[in-house]
Amino acid sequence: MRFVAAGQVLRADDLRPPYAVQTGETVWMHYRRDGILLRLRCQARAAGFVGDEIELYAPQTRATYRGRIVAPGLVEWIATLQPYEPH
């Protein structure tokens, strides 16, 4: 995660796997409850690897959520952080 010039030694911490989710990427969030599965299209508010928790925003519901990345482009719901409240 640093610039490596020709002839420089490559260190193990210079490498990392690609993110499973990029900031701003559209992902599917799965919400499971009592045998029901809902899929909601969201925007990732942070990049992360499989297993990471990130915040998501869903324009359709105008709410913010926290979820765990389970695969590239797929997040499982953990909590609703800011539900939409009409004024």
Side-chain angles (χ1 to χ4, degrees), residues 29 40-43 45 55-66 77 79-85:
M29 181 180 70
L40 185 62
R41 191 182 309 251
C42 297
Q43 291 179 325
R45 290 209 162 155
E55 285 190 14
L56 308 149
Y57 176 73
Q60 313 90 301
T61 62
R62 294 162 56 181
T64 304
Y65 303 94
R66 175 167 296 285
W77 176 88
T80 302
L81 302 178
Q82 181 183 4
Y84 170 66
E85 296 180 20

Side-chain angles (χ1 to χ4, degrees), residues 2 10 16-18 22 24-25 31 37 47 53 57-58 61 64 66 69 73 83:
R2 66 184 172 99
L10 188 63
R16 68 161 173 75
Q22 296 285 342
E25 179 182 352
Y31 175 89
L37 170 64
E53 291 184 13
Y57 176 73
T61 62
T64 304
R66 175 167 296 285
I69 302 170

Side-chain angles (χ1 to χ4, degrees), residues 12-80:
D13 61 348
D14 289 332
L15 306 173
R16 68 161 173 75
Y19 287 121
V21 171
Q22 296 285 342
T23 303
E25 179 182 352
T26 299
V27 299
W28 286 104
M29 181 180 70
H30 283 182
Y31 175 89
R32 297 177 197 271
R33 283 290 179 260
D34 301 325
I36 296 174
L37 170 64
L38 300 175
R39 289 172 37 127
L40 185 62
R41 191 182 309 251
C42 297
Q43 291 179 325
R45 290 209 162 155
F49 301 103
V50 171
D52 287 351
E53 291 184 13
I54 61 170
E55 285 190 14
L56 308 149
Y57 176 73
Q60 313 90 301
T61 62
R62 294 162 56 181
T64 304
Y65 303 94
R66 175 167 296 285
R68 180 172 290 106
I69 302 170
V70 295
L74 181 61
V75 178
E76 284 187 341
W77 176 88
I78 294 174
T80 302

